Amino acid sequence: MSTDVRSFEYSVRDRQGKIINGTTEAPTKDAAVAKLMKQGYLPVNVREANVGMRREIRIGFGSGVGMKDIAVMSRQFATMINSGLSLLRALSILADQSENKILGKTLSDVRAGVEGGDALSVAMARHSDIFPPLMINMVRAGEVGGFLDKVMLSVADSFESDLRLRGKVKSAMTYPVVVFVMAILAVIGMLLFIVPVFSKMFADLGGKLPAPTRVLVTMSESLKFVLPIAIVAGVVGGVVWHRVKNLEQVRQVVDPMKLRMPVFGQLFRKVAISRFTRNLGTMLSAGVPLLQSLDVVGAAAGNVVIRDAASAIEVSVRAGESLAAPLAGHKVFPPMVVQMLSVGEDTGAVDVMLDKIADFYDQEVEATTEALTSLIEPLMIAMLGGVVGSMIIAMYLPIFNVFTLIQ
């Protein structure tokens, strides 16, 4: 008998006769049926997932569940638990009404685990590719402390704040990116379709072309061979980058470079600090121990510099030092953050102070993105006008000599 664990899709009836759909893992189909019956279900249909024509085709990368899906689910979950619904009933409703099918199947599996006797955090931890470690650890703290609804609200608030922060950055950078793409497409279009027409006309007239026009014609002829190579190289490079970007060796090189970039480095730094302080404050307010919180939020900061700093702080705190003292030894954290944390430790309100720091850096990110947009927009327009204008001038320079060539 095969000992490999496989995934099975199932349809079962619970004790109330309701049909429940979900997925479970077992070595064989018989083992999956036995597992479901042990949990009190009556199997209706059990089949192996991801086989043949039933294989789920996903467009893109990742688990297929975004932060927005998790944030919405967390807020709905908190509302249901706070309203008096049982944990199993809330999970069933969330699984049925989830717009994301992958999340719906995952919640069904979590419900089955909880009904089988697992704690909610344990059932969620089996799907660590769907539920972030931050959420799992906070749910575990909420179960121990008996305030699961407040924890889920905190999770929703944290993820929604992160989403708003990302949205501000994306919206601020949309216009410059669109202008840059339009400039590239305009240059490629002129080189491929317009310049060859003028080049043929100049060749028929005879005579020597001006230097700018010769450069433009050479670029047009070269682009016919360079463009396909560039497209293939771009696609291959994108695929390779997606596969290696999360490797430790790559991140140790790329992440510090992000923070040292001339214009965008400060923006990346502020985003990372905001995410780190907000997540740490959320976990501490939920009752998660400091050392465990540092371990989780360091990995969730999105930058190895912050993560390594969190690890060093964890070692120092474990040795009996305060939180603010080791923080001062890492240049990635500004003096203001260190001083505010020091005050928070003295007053016994570290979580509140961390939230204030996160709010401050959210505002700083918004102000920085607006300033960058105000600076980049005229530069991009000037660049687009300069490039296209130079090409037009280069194409029309020979026309000034047309009458001379005709004579």
Side-chain angles (χ1 to χ4, degrees), residues 136-159:
I136 295 172
N137 282 276
M138 289 184 64
V139 168
R140 185 177 293 115
E143 289 175 323
V144 173
F147 44 86
L148 186 60
D149 54 340
K150 295 181 180 179
V151 164
M152 297 306 295
L153 281 175
S154 297
V155 170
D157 289 339
S158 178
F159 289 164

Side-chain angles (χ1 to χ4, degrees), residues 91-380:
L91 287 170
S92 296
I93 294 173
L94 289 171
D96 291 339
Q97 73 178 17
S98 177
E99 296 181 359
N100 188 303
K101 295 182 179 179
I102 300 174
L103 181 58
K105 291 181 179 179
T106 303
L107 289 171
S108 296
D109 201 19
V110 170
R111 181 192 184 280
V114 172
E115 192 168 25
D118 291 335
L120 177 61
S121 58
V122 174
M124 293 173 65
R126 293 198 183 98
H127 303 277
S128 56
D129 58 328
I130 302 294
F131 302 110
L134 175 77
M135 183 178 185
I136 295 172
N137 282 276
M138 289 184 64
V139 168
R140 185 177 293 115
E143 289 175 323
V144 173
F147 44 86
L148 186 60
D149 54 340
K150 295 181 180 179
V151 164
M152 297 306 295
L153 281 175
S154 297
V155 170
D157 289 339
S158 178
F159 289 164
E160 287 169 356
S161 297
D162 203 355
L163 283 170
R164 283 194 297 270
L165 187 62
R166 293 183 182 185
K168 290 174 183 177
V169 175
K170 288 181 179 178
S171 62
M173 302 307 296
T174 296
Y175 180 78
V177 170
V178 170
V179 172
F180 181 74
V181 171
M182 292 298 295
I184 296 295
L185 293 177
V187 171
I188 293 175
M190 292 181 68
L191 289 174
L192 288 179
F193 303 108
I194 299 177
V195 174
V197 175
F198 279 80
S199 179
K200 185 177 182 302
M201 182 180 68
F202 299 151
D204 293 339
L205 291 175
K208 186 178 181 180
L209 296 175
T213 309
R214 293 200 302 272
V215 171
L216 198 62
V217 171
T218 302
M219 290 174 59
S220 176
E221 294 174 349
S222 302
L223 190 62
K224 297 175 183 178
F225 305 99
V226 174
L227 185 61
I229 297 174
I231 293 175
V232 173
V235 172
V236 173
V239 173
V240 171
W241 171 249
H242 179 78
R243 292 183 177 180
V244 304
K245 67 179 181 180
N246 292 322
L247 295 179
E248 182 65 19
Q249 302 90 326
V250 176
R251 293 191 63 190
Q252 287 290 348
V253 175
V254 174
D255 286 358
M257 289 176 59
K258 287 182 180 179
L259 300 181
R260 290 195 298 265
M261 290 177 65
V263 178
F264 295 95
Q266 286 297 319
L267 178 61
F268 291 137
R269 181 187 185 190
K270 291 173 182 177
V271 169
I273 293 175
S274 172
R275 185 179 299 170
F276 173 80
T277 53
R278 185 173 300 282
N279 289 341
L280 183 57
T282 301
M283 294 194 74
L284 291 178
S285 63
V288 181
L290 175 59
L291 294 176
Q292 185 179 350
S293 299
L294 285 170
D295 186 45
V296 173
V297 300
N303 193 290
V304 297
V305 178
I306 300 289
R307 185 201 65 192
D308 294 343
S311 299
I313 294 168
E314 182 182 350
V315 173
S316 298
V317 172
R318 196 183 299 274
E321 296 184 31
S322 66
L323 177 63
L327 206 69
H330 298 275
K331 295 181 180 180
V332 67
F333 294 105
M336 186 202 74
V337 175
V338 179
Q339 294 298 324
M340 290 183 69
L341 273 181
S342 180
V343 173
E345 286 184 307
D346 293 339
T347 58
V350 176
D351 54 344
V352 175
M353 195 62 71
L354 286 167
D355 287 338
K356 290 182 178 180
I357 295 172
D359 290 338
F360 170 78
Y361 275 99
D362 282 352
Q363 297 174 359
E364 282 288 295
V365 168
E366 185 175 0
T368 303
T369 51
E370 289 178 357
L372 284 175
T373 304
S374 301
L375 175 65
I376 291 175
E377 283 182 8
L379 291 177
M380 294 296 293

Side-chain angles (χ1 to χ4, degrees), residues 70-87:
I70 297 295
V72 172
M73 183 273 292
S74 301
R75 188 163 295 282
Q76 292 174 341
F77 197 9
T79 303
M80 293 179 193
I81 297 297
N82 195 35
S83 299
L85 270 71
S86 67
L87 186 59

